């Protein structure tokens, strides 16, 4: 059975500090979370500053609520669940 903490720690090892690369389709991100994703989570329009100030604890809640739980992957093998979580977060960041 897959554990969220193991999966999210892997994702966070690849997604970290604030980045605002104009060549990145996700625009401003922190912990892999875009302005649009944060706005969806907070139910209000967020700014680049909101993303810059995003705390790790809130980022983990976003990953759990918007990805881990809806994907229902906790019953899978850890490696597979981790790969799915990482892939889906990456896909969402590109779509946002």
């Amino acid at each position: 059975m897959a554990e969220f903490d193991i999966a999210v720690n892997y994702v966070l090892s690849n997604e970290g500090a604030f980045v605002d690369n104009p060549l990145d389709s996700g625009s401003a991100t922190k912990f892999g979370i875009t302005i649009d994703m944060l706005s969806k989570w907070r139910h209000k329009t967020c700014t680049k500053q909101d993303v810059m100030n995003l705390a790790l604890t809130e980022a983990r809640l976003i990953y759990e609520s918007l990805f881990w739980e809806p994907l229902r992957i906790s019953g899978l093998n850890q490696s597979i669940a981790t790969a799915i979580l990482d892939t889906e977060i990456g896909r969402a960041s590109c779509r946002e």
Side-chain angles (χ1 to χ4, degrees), residues 5 41-42 57 63 73:
D5 285 337
W41 167 255
R42 291 183 177 174
T57 53
Y63 284 153
I73 54 178

Side-chain angles (χ1 to χ4, degrees), residues 2-93:
E3 294 180 34
F4 172 73
D5 285 337
I6 293 171
V8 79
N9 287 340
Y10 173 81
V11 171
L12 290 169
S13 72
N14 296 310
E15 303 285 358
F18 177 78
V19 177
D20 189 15
N21 182 344
L23 301 177
D24 184 349
S25 62
S27 70
T29 63
K30 185 172 180 185
F31 306 123
I33 295 173
T34 64
I35 293 172
D36 289 342
M37 196 182 304
L38 186 59
S39 296
K40 177 181 177 182
W41 167 255
R42 291 183 177 174
H43 304 289
K44 67 175 190 171
T45 302
C46 291
T47 65
K48 191 181 296 189
Q49 190 66 42
D50 292 321
V51 174
M52 287 178 73
N53 295 332
L54 178 65
L56 179 58
T57 53
E58 185 176 14
R60 293 173 65 89
L61 287 171
I62 292 168
Y63 284 153
E64 189 170 21
S65 296
L66 296 184
F67 296 96
W68 185 262
E69 290 173 359
L71 290 169
R72 298 182 179 155
I73 54 178
S74 62
L76 298 176
N77 167 284
Q78 185 69 55
S79 297
I80 293 170
T82 300
I84 291 170
L85 179 66
D86 190 41
T87 300
E88 287 304 306
I89 289 169
R91 288 169 34 106
S93 294

